[in-house]
């Protein structure tokens, strides 16, 4: 199997063990290979089996769970199994049927080793997956996870990684002319030794011009196009199927180097070839390079293939067939052309100064036959390589850590909570505030059983708003071109889903997309956390005005050889399956990234979910920040009362607070000296303890992830999406945002800071009287009078006697003296305000599911409530937009201070 021009590719028994170790193959794998071939494989064949049977290419640990995903729906044209998923978008104004083609993939290991090149080639690879299928890419997203960058021992390393990854993503996407319009960035210590870089891309094509990775038609030529092949990226697929250790730096040669300018030429050349109908199929040379592309094309088509490897364009001298088959050099494609179209294809690629060489042809042998200067150097049955990888059913075991973190920890150690001491600059101020007590262990406030006071709530709020989990990351997204192609409606920095119009494709429609995953939830409950990720990504799409249609996922987990990791994986897949079935958003594409482990430290389960939805008219799109002065704020969803108000049935034992109980509760009770009153209020604080498991409050207070996360009700979630669909179609909402990390306090604060409009919401009793409704009735009185007031309940003025008797009647006296419809509207608002006038400060940070905040015109309050109630959802008016401050219950902060914390903290914390 060699000749005078090639080295001897045979292997001897003396070095077989070393070769198997090098290729991550077991002795059982080798025995299986020799039995299938009925002979000993040579080095090229060993390399091919190694790549195709790697975890990265074969999904051997995950396939048994992935096959359970729902993948079909009337609008799904292509599910998993191709380069990307395809969904139907309906017709444009030219009566052409459009489709969206999209996928997310990981480039975690390469980005940790070489952040700039690793992230850049991750973007390049996912773009090729999209335009390989005939689509014109129009938008990119990314999901990034770094370690604890504020830890002094990690700061230098992860600042370097952050710089490199962001620069790599920005440079590649910007040079390609594809806008990067959103995503998600997080920081957790579990990623200290293994960052995550997940790249998503979406493109648009005409349905009758979609191409697939197939090689059919006996004698049709196989054409190599793009850049020349070098030795960069050798063993990349194998490297991505292994854990990291102290020798990670030695893996740098396995990281590919990308060239976005070449890829832009490749994109344009491919689109021109597609337009001229010159090919049968096309496949990106991604992981495992020429090996994976050729074998996958032949496998999908149940055909065979001959390749003449000496014809492959080479960037370096002396390259061997082994290197040519396994190189992962970037910007290369493999085409199955229509016979007789070779010259036309060559002309097109020559125009773009790209290589284009016929290196093989399709056969009906079922074999992959590789030739080197006229001699066969490898011969393998395609199905044996592609389909015979051992499908593993790895052992699973529920993680032991779950037993130790089942009990919720939510406590504040005053001594070690730095923000508290920053607020009380001098020790004497702190001691004076703390009734003169000295620091000691008993000065720990257990927030499960005690409420935080007003001062502490304001400190925690400011710390959250400026935290890396919440604050604006314009330093990142400003390095990405977000507006190129002039179709971006909503980009990064404006919250929640990103939106692009299809006006460049002769359509009034728009695509909405959102990437989400809370790894702390998934750590505590992989199944529940995965369901929440699917629901939250879809909810963000629905909040933008679109109908969620499908998802793609990137499943990032630790070492599959650890039974506890495989249990996490199994549970997460079950959660995704359950959510997708109920919410009718099938999985159409995705990626699995395992072995995200360094020195036996696994990452948290991180199933990144991207939901994609469709707006029938891009003018219906709404934002997630306040847009109008004197508008009303509504809280809509399921289980609102149980989460924020009622909850005495939570079954949590009442214990005494370590600090002075009266001080802990003085902001919420009238008689702080009454022990009976204290007990009543303390019992009431138990209502929402479960909503803090894995929460941002837990993280801000330096508590480890713990507790049992609240189960999401997917039926309520679906009804919420339907409600949003109906509201969007009749333009009832000015803006909308879901309640997520940091609870309702942070949700409202983000809507205010991004919209640059203050608010008053969830006001305590003494503040309700200060709200001035005269502008609302003056501005909207006519519209209010014309609305269907029968939707409102009948009122009795006696219900509001407490307000009348409060002595603060400046605005209220005017409001309550109104007659007719205006009075009914104001009474509706006041009744809801009174329902939430005695919230605990802690509950403002509770993280609930299937709940949203909507901004509406006052005269639409009745119909909004009617629509919500018709879906079985609760709906309350909780405040109004306006003023130059943010007031949320007892939290008060000037708007300009909130904006400074939100917009300027990221760079200060990381680079300051």
């Amino acid at each position: 199997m060699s000749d005078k021009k090639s080295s001897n590719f045979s292997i001897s028994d003396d070095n077989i063990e070393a070769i198997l170790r090098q290729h991550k193959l077991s002795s059982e794998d080798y025995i299986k290979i020799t039995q299938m071939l009925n002979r000993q494989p040579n080095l090229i064949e060993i390399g091919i089996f190694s790549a195709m049977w790697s975890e990265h290419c074969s999904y051997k640990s995950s396939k048994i769970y992935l096959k359970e995903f729902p993948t079909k729906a009337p609008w799904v044209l292509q599910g998993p199994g191709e380069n990307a998923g395809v969904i139907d978008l309906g017709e444009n104004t030219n009566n052409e049927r459009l489709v969206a083609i999209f996928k997310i993939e990981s480039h975690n290991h390469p980005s940790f080793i070489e952040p700039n090149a690793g992230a850049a080639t991750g973007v390049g690879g996912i773009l090729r997956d999209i335009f390989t299928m005939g689509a014109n890419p129009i938008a990119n997203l990314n999901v990034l996870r770094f370690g604890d960058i504020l830890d002094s021992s990690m700061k230098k390393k992860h600042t370097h990684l952050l710089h490199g990854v962001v620069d790599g993503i920005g440079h590649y996407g910007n040079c390609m002319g594809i806008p990067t319009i959103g995503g998600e960035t997080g920081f957790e210590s579990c990623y200290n030794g293994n960052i995550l870089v997940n790249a998503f891309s979406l493109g648009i094509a005409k349905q009758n011009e979609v191409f697939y990775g197939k090689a059919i038609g006996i004698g049709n030529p196989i054409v190599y196009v793009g850049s020349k092949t070098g030795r960069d990226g050798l063993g990349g697929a194998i490297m991505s199927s292994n854990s990291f250790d102290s020798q990670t730096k030695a893996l740098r040669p396995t990281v590919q180097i990308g060239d976005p300018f070449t890829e832009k030429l490749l994109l344009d050349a491919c689109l021109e070839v597609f337009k001229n109908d010159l090919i049968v199929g096309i496949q990106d040379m991604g992981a495992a390079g020429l090996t994976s592309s050729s074998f996958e094309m032949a496998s999908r088509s149940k055909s065979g293939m001959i390749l003449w490897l000496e014809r492959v364009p080479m960037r370096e001298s002396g390259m061997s067939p082994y290197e040519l088959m396994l190189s992962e050099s970037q910007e290369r494609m493999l085409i199955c052309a229509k016979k007789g179209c070779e010259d036309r294809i060559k002309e097109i690629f020559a125009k773009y100064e790209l290589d284009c060489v016929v290196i093989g042809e399709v056969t009906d042998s079922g074999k992959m036959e590789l030739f080197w200067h006229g001699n066969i150097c490898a011969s393998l049955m395609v199905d044996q390589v592609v389909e015979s990888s051992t499908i593993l059913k790895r052992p699973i075991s529920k993680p032991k850590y779950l037993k130790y973190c089942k009990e919720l920890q939510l406590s504040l150690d005053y001594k070690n909570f730095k923000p508290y001491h920053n607020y009380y600059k001098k020790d004497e101020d702190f001691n004076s505030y703390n009734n003169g007590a000295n620091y000691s262990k008993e000065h720990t406030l257990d927030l499960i059983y005690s409420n935080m006071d007003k001062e502490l709530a304001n400190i925690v709020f400011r710390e959250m708003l400026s935290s890396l989990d919440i604050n604006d990351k314009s330093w990142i997204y400003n390095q990405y071109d977000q507006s190129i192609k002039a179709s971006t409606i909503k980009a990064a920095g404006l919250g929640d889903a990103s939106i692009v119009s299809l006006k460049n494709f002769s359509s009034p429609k728009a695509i909405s997309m959102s990437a989400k995953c809370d790894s702390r939830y998934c750590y505590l409950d992989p199944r529940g956390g995965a369901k929440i990720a699917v629901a939250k990504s879809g909810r963000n799409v629905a909040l933008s005005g679109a109908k969620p249609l499908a998802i793609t996922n990137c499943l990032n987990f630790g070492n599959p050889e650890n039974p506890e990791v495989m249990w996490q994986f199994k549970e997460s897949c079950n959660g995704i399956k359950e959510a997708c079935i109920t919410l009718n958003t099938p999985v159409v594409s995705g990626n699995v990234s395992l072995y995200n482990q360094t020195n036996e430290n696994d990452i948290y389960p991180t199933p990144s979910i991207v939901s994609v939805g469709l707006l029938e008219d891009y003018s219906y799109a709404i934002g997630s920040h306040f847009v109008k002065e004197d508008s009303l704020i509504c809280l809509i969803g399921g289980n609102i009362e149980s989460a924020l108000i009622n909850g005495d049935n939570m079954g949590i034992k009442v214990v005494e607070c370590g600090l002075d109980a009266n001080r802990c509760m003085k902001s919420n009770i009238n008689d702080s000296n009454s022990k009976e009153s204290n007990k009543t209020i303390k019992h009431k604080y138990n209502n929402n303890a479960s909503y803090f498991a894995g929460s941002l409050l837990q993280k801000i207070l330096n508590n480890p992830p713990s507790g049992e996360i609240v189960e999401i009700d997917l039926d309520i979630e679906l009804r919420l999406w339907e409600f949003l669909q109906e509201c969007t179609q009749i333009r009832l909402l000015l803006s909308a945002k879901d309640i997520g990390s940091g609870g309702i306090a942070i949700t409202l604060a983000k809507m205010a800071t991004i919209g640059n409009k203050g608010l008053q919401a969830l006001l305590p009793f003494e503040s309700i009287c200060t709200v001035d409704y005269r502008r609302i009735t003056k501005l909207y009185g006519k519209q209010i009078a014309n609305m269907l007031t029968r939707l409102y309940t009948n009122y009795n003025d006696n219900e509001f006697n407490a307000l009348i008797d409060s002595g603060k009647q400046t605005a209220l006296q005017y409001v309550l003296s109104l007659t007719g419809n205006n009075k009914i509207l104001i009474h509706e608002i006041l009744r809801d305000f009174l329902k939430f006038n005695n919230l605990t400060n802690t509950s403002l940070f509770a993280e609930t599911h299937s709940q949203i905040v909507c901004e509406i015109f006052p005269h639409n309050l009745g119909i909004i409530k009617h629509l919500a109630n018709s879906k079985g959802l609760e709906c309350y008016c909780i405040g109004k937009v306006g003023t130059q401050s943010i007031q949320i219950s007892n939290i008060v902060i000037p708007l300009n201070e909130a904006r400074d914390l939100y917009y300027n903290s990221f760079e200060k914390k990381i680079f300051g």
Side-chain angles (χ1 to χ4, degrees):
M1 290 192 182
S2 63
D3 70 352
K4 62 183 179 180
K5 294 184 179 180
S6 64
S7 59
N8 187 350
F9 305 122
S10 63
I11 53 180
S12 67
D13 292 336
D14 295 337
N15 62 359
I16 185 63
E17 290 186 10
I19 289 173
L20 292 176
R21 279 198 305 274
Q22 179 186 357
H23 289 83
K24 308 298 180 186
L25 289 171
S26 66
S27 56
E28 290 80 7
D29 289 330
Y30 183 69
I31 292 171
K32 184 175 182 178
I33 291 169
T34 56
Q35 289 174 343
M36 287 192 304
L37 299 181
N38 200 26
R39 60 175 171 82
Q40 187 183 55
N42 64 25
L43 184 61
I44 301 170
E45 293 166 336
I46 283 284
I48 290 171
F49 275 110
S50 172
M52 295 301 292
W53 287 9
S54 68
E55 191 72 59
H56 190 76
C57 291
S58 72
Y59 293 85
K60 57 188 176 185
S61 297
S62 57
K63 193 174 286 187
I64 60 171
Y65 303 112
L66 302 180
K67 67 182 182 181
E68 297 297 320
F69 286 158
T71 60
K72 299 181 187 297
W75 52 87
V76 174
L77 304 179
Q78 176 63 56
E82 265 291 344
N83 288 296
V86 184
I87 61 171
D88 185 6
L89 301 178
E91 292 185 345
N92 63 9
T93 55
N94 297 330
N95 297 320
E96 299 165 321
R97 204 155 196 89
L98 300 179
V99 298
I101 300 176
F102 58 92
K103 187 181 182 183
I104 186 172
E105 277 201 345
S106 64
H107 231 226
N108 303 334
H109 287 62
S111 299
F112 187 70
I113 298 167
E114 198 67 62
N116 190 301
T121 51
V123 174
I126 195 64
L127 283 171
R128 289 194 300 278
D129 280 342
I130 302 308
F131 72 75
T132 290
M133 299 190 70
N136 192 339
I138 62 169
N140 291 342
L141 305 178
N142 52 68
V143 176
L144 310 178
R145 293 290 186 273
F146 299 94
D148 187 356
I149 203 167
L150 300 183
D151 183 334
S152 58
S153 65
M154 290 289 122
K155 191 173 184 67
K156 183 177 179 180
K157 173 68 173 176
H158 282 271
T159 301
H160 163 71
L161 290 170
L162 176 65
H163 269 289
V165 167
V166 172
D167 184 60
I169 291 171
H171 177 67
Y172 209 102
N174 295 351
C175 292
M176 283 288 293
I178 313 297
T180 302
I181 62 172
E184 190 181 51
T185 302
F187 300 85
E188 289 283 352
S189 58
C190 69
Y191 306 109
N192 283 349
N194 206 125
I195 66 172
L196 302 184
V197 176
N198 297 171
F200 167 92
S201 188
L202 179 143
I204 303 298
K206 297 175 185 176
Q207 184 177 337
N208 61 352
E209 294 179 0
V210 175
F211 289 89
Y212 298 96
K214 58 186 179 181
I216 59 174
I218 308 307
N220 274 340
I222 300 299
V223 186
Y224 174 115
V225 299
S227 294
K228 289 179 169 59
T229 297
R231 291 187 172 93
D232 52 319
L234 277 172
I238 302 169
M239 175 270 291
S240 295
S241 304
N242 201 20
S243 299
F244 285 153
D245 55 26
S246 58
Q247 304 302 315
T248 295
K249 289 183 179 179
L251 295 172
R252 279 183 175 164
T254 63
V255 179
Q256 316 94 311
I257 306 300
D259 179 359
F261 298 105
T262 299
E263 177 129 335
K264 179 63 169 70
L265 295 173
L266 183 60
L267 165 61
D268 292 341
C270 286
L271 292 178
E272 186 170 340
V273 166
F274 300 155
K275 187 177 180 180
N276 286 276
D277 194 23
L278 302 173
I279 71 170
V280 173
I282 182 169
Q283 179 73 33
D284 165 41
M285 291 192 212
L290 185 54
T291 290
S292 64
S293 56
S294 58
F295 275 89
E296 287 176 9
M297 290 180 79
S299 175
R300 291 190 190 112
S301 309
K302 304 299 180 185
S303 62
M305 198 178 287
I306 292 174
L307 296 181
W308 303 293
L309 296 180
E310 72 277 3
R311 299 185 185 181
V312 172
M314 301 175 213
R315 194 170 66 231
E316 303 177 48
S317 61
M319 292 190 71
S320 68
Y322 175 93
E323 293 170 321
L324 294 172
M325 289 300 292
L326 295 175
S327 167
E328 294 188 8
S329 294
Q330 295 291 285
E331 293 88 40
R332 304 178 302 156
M333 313 283 271
L334 199 62
I335 289 174
C336 177
K338 293 182 177 180
K339 196 167 186 177
C341 295
E342 301 94 314
D343 290 342
R344 181 71 183 109
I345 293 172
K346 288 179 181 179
E347 287 175 11
I348 291 172
F349 279 93
K351 181 172 68 173
Y352 292 95
E353 299 182 340
L354 296 169
D355 283 290
C356 178
V357 180
V358 175
I359 66 167
E361 65 180 38
V362 179
T363 70
D364 61 357
S365 66
K367 291 182 181 179
M368 183 66 64
E369 297 173 285
L370 307 181
F371 286 83
W372 182 244
H373 295 286
N375 293 306
I376 192 164
C377 60
S379 178
L380 299 168
M381 296 299 296
V382 171
D383 60 350
Q384 289 182 341
V385 175
V386 177
E387 299 175 10
S388 296
S389 171
T390 302
I391 303 303
L392 303 175
K393 189 172 184 180
R394 293 188 182 274
I396 62 172
S397 175
K398 189 172 183 178
K400 298 180 183 64
Y401 72 79
L402 289 176
K403 179 171 63 176
Y404 301 107
C405 66
K406 187 174 183 179
E407 184 175 348
L408 178 69
Q409 296 181 48
L410 191 70
S411 61
L412 168 64
D413 180 352
Y414 282 93
K415 182 177 181 180
N416 296 313
F417 189 49
K418 188 176 178 181
Y420 202 86
H421 302 286
N422 291 340
Y423 188 81
Y424 296 102
K425 297 292 184 183
K426 298 178 181 179
D427 284 348
E428 56 265 29
D429 292 338
F430 173 79
N431 286 330
S432 172
Y433 176 74
N434 200 32
N435 295 329
N438 296 319
Y439 300 139
S440 62
K441 283 186 177 179
E442 60 264 22
H443 291 101
T444 299
L445 179 63
D446 191 334
L447 292 171
I448 301 174
Y449 307 112
S450 306
N451 180 36
M452 63 174 75
D453 58 31
K454 180 165 65 176
E455 289 83 356
L456 179 56
N458 277 270
I459 294 169
V460 168
F461 174 82
R462 284 165 168 80
E463 186 67 11
M464 279 190 181
L465 194 59
S466 64
S467 71
L468 296 184
D469 298 83
I470 298 297
N471 62 21
D472 177 76
K473 297 170 181 64
S474 56
W475 181 88
I476 294 177
Y477 62 74
N478 281 347
Q479 297 184 53
Y480 308 148
D481 192 325
Q482 301 189 76
S483 58
I484 196 167
K485 297 194 175 184
S487 61
T488 304
I489 295 175
K490 185 182 177 190
L494 296 178
D496 301 334
S498 303
I499 310 173
V500 288
S501 76
L502 300 182
K503 63 182 182 181
N504 294 335
F505 300 89
S506 303
S507 174
K509 300 178 182 181
I511 299 288
S512 176
M513 58 205 90
S514 175
K516 288 295 171 187
C517 180
D518 191 315
S519 57
R520 291 165 67 87
Y521 287 166
C522 294
Y523 174 74
L524 295 174
D525 181 353
R527 182 190 291 244
K531 286 197 287 188
I532 291 169
V534 173
K536 188 171 179 61
S537 60
R539 188 185 316 140
N540 284 344
V541 167
L543 282 163
S544 71
K547 179 181 180 179
L549 294 177
I551 72 161
T552 180
N553 57 49
C554 191
L555 308 180
N556 306 277
F557 287 78
N559 190 334
E561 296 165 33
N562 178 350
E564 295 188 351
V565 169
M566 284 312 298
W567 182 88
Q568 293 174 332
F569 188 88
K570 169 181 168 289
E571 288 294 295
S572 293
C573 287
N574 286 336
I576 293 170
K577 170 188 172 182
E578 184 178 341
C580 288
I581 289 173
T582 301
L583 300 174
N584 202 17
T585 54
V587 180
V588 299
S589 60
N591 175 241
V592 175
S593 175
L594 300 177
Y595 290 99
N596 291 290
Q597 177 201 63
T598 298
N599 297 326
E600 299 186 358
N601 294 317
D602 294 297
I603 65 165
Y604 289 169
T606 313
S608 301
I609 307 293
V610 180
S611 180
V612 174
L614 181 68
L615 290 93
E616 290 296 331
D617 187 329
Y618 60 75
S619 67
Y620 288 173
I622 58 173
S624 49
H625 59 273
F626 293 136
V627 298
K628 189 77 175 175
E629 296 283 339
D630 297 304
S631 55
L632 294 181
I633 304 168
C634 287
L635 175 58
I636 301 168
N639 304 314
I640 292 175
E641 285 202 49
S642 62
L644 289 177
I645 305 170
N646 304 316
D648 293 341
N649 60 346
M650 296 295 285
I652 302 174
K653 182 181 178 182
V654 178
V655 299
E656 290 299 321
C657 172
L659 288 169
D660 177 61
N662 293 336
R663 188 181 69 76
C664 294
M665 304 174 200
K666 66 182 180 181
S667 63
N668 283 294
I669 54 178
N670 295 323
D671 182 6
S672 61
N673 296 315
S674 167
K675 291 184 179 180
E676 185 63 32
S677 181
N678 285 352
K679 288 180 181 179
T680 302
I681 296 297
K682 282 166 64 180
H683 189 67
K684 191 176 180 181
Y685 295 156
N686 298 337
N687 67 325
N688 51 16
S690 297
Y691 290 95
F692 294 101
S695 66
L696 179 57
L697 179 61
Q698 203 172 49
K699 183 177 180 179
I700 291 293
L701 298 180
N702 301 314
N703 296 160
S706 61
E708 299 181 55
I709 68 173
V710 175
E711 178 81 5
I712 186 170
D713 188 323
L714 295 171
D715 292 323
I716 290 177
E717 183 72 30
L718 186 59
R719 295 201 298 272
L720 184 62
W721 294 8
E722 292 169 351
F723 164 79
L724 287 165
Q725 282 285 297
E726 290 191 25
C727 287
T728 301
Q729 295 306 309
I730 51 179
R731 301 179 188 271
L732 287 176
L733 306 181
L734 294 170
S735 66
K737 184 172 179 58
D738 72 321
I739 297 174
S741 188
I744 194 168
I746 295 301
T747 296
L748 290 168
K750 290 179 75 171
M751 295 180 80
T753 54
I754 297 173
N756 196 24
K757 289 177 174 57
L759 69 106
Q760 295 173 290
L762 301 170
L763 298 176
F765 181 84
E766 61 271 17
S767 298
I768 292 176
C769 307
T770 67
V771 180
D772 188 348
Y773 297 99
R774 280 171 287 192
R775 277 180 54 82
I776 290 178
T777 54
K778 183 177 180 180
L779 289 170
Y780 302 107
K782 183 176 181 181
Q783 293 95 319
I784 292 168
N786 291 331
M787 291 304 291
L788 296 175
T789 57
R790 69 174 184 273
L791 299 175
Y792 295 122
T793 310
N794 291 323
Y795 290 90
N796 185 328
D797 283 348
N798 292 332
E799 293 182 69
F800 308 98
N801 283 341
L803 291 172
I804 299 294
D805 296 340
S806 66
K808 299 178 180 180
Q809 302 177 40
T810 308
L812 277 173
Q813 195 167 28
Y814 173 80
V815 167
L816 294 175
S817 67
L818 291 172
T819 59
N821 297 329
N822 290 351
K823 183 176 181 180
I824 294 173
L825 173 74
I826 300 303
H827 276 187
E828 177 78 13
I829 297 170
L830 288 175
R831 178 180 272 186
D832 286 355
F833 274 22
L834 289 171
K835 182 181 287 288
F836 294 94
N837 84 94
N838 197 32
L839 295 183
T840 68
N841 294 319
T842 309
S843 67
L844 298 174
F845 306 110
E847 296 182 7
T848 57
H849 312 307
S850 308
Q851 294 181 12
I852 62 172
V853 170
C854 293
E855 178 190 12
I856 67 168
F857 284 118
H859 56 273
N860 286 335
L861 179 61
I863 193 168
I864 289 286
K865 285 202 165 196
H866 173 73
L867 285 175
N869 294 335
S870 71
K871 301 293 182 185
L873 303 173
E874 300 172 54
C875 177
Y876 304 104
C877 179
I878 61 170
K880 69 180 283 285
V881 178
T883 77
Q884 289 302 304
S885 66
I886 294 174
Q887 182 180 3
I888 307 166
S889 188
N890 289 306
I891 295 170
V892 182
I893 182 173
L895 181 60
N896 59 355
E897 181 186 346
R899 285 174 59 81
D900 179 64
L901 288 171
Y902 182 70
Y903 282 110
N904 299 322
S905 296
F906 186 80
E907 291 182 65
K908 287 179 182 177
K909 289 188 177 221
I910 293 181
F911 307 119

